Amino acid sequence: MTATSVAETAVDQAATRLLDAQSTGTPCAPVRDLIGPADVDRAYAVQERLTAARLASGATIVGRKIGLTSPAVQQQLGVDRPDFGVLFDDMDVAAGGVAPMARLLQPKVEAEIAFVLAEDLDRDDLDVDTVRSAVEYAVAALEIVDSRIAGWDITYGDTVADNASSGLYVLGEQRVSLEEFTPVDAEMSMSIDGEVVSTGNGAACLGDPLAALVWLARTAREVGTPLRAGQVVLSGALGPMVAVTAGAHVSAEISGLGTVTVDFSGEDQA
């Protein structure tokens, strides 16, 4: 067996392990034994297999998420660089709605700034001004991150392979143009059942949420899947992520963007 075929087999095995965890609702062992803890190409190859499976099942890509932009979250997970994952249409939970715990294995929640694009970002010269002008509006968001890997025992390779530990997301209702809002200046406070559990600001997201968006736009174009008009981009956590349990009420306030909330269903609800 050639080195290439061995690598492809390992990627397929890792994808199967993660897909089985999702379908059975039982977290699996890390996949770094198959693809390594920091092999970026193999990790994204696994993610591509998962994306293909979702598309084959009828899901539609509606955007991307940027992960591991906050130093606090990087410290929590023991990694030192950002990653990205794919957002699908069935991940979107209506603002003020209910997140189905039955779809989640070991969820955590974090507050973010989301950008919705008005233009494609497929040019070669993607600088800050170009990317900024492509944003239709910003909106407060909650990302419900989840891991198919037991105990969140993840390296960079594990989380990239697992679609950047994506779960669900919630967008607020207040849409603000970047003429009226400066992302780096935003202050965030997130509460669970009325108790503040996470605070942060725009500078915690790779120095500036717009810098995170530029990084993603360039990276996505380089790998041949550029960001498109109408897509949602979750730009990364503004503060530490926090575990959430069934029945919880989560609310995050981001200055300039207002509040976004979500409730989590009970264990016996779908």
Side-chain angles (χ1 to χ4, degrees), residues 203-255:
C205 179
L206 215 63
D208 184 338
L210 278 174
L213 180 59
V214 171
W215 172 84
L216 175 63
R218 290 172 174 170
T219 303
R221 183 188 58 76
E222 287 169 3
V223 300
T225 55
L227 301 176
R228 297 298 184 187
Q231 289 188 333
V232 176
V233 176
L234 302 180
S235 63
L238 302 179
M241 61 183 181
V242 180
V244 67
T245 56
H249 173 77
V250 179
S251 176
E253 182 175 355
I254 299 177
S255 60

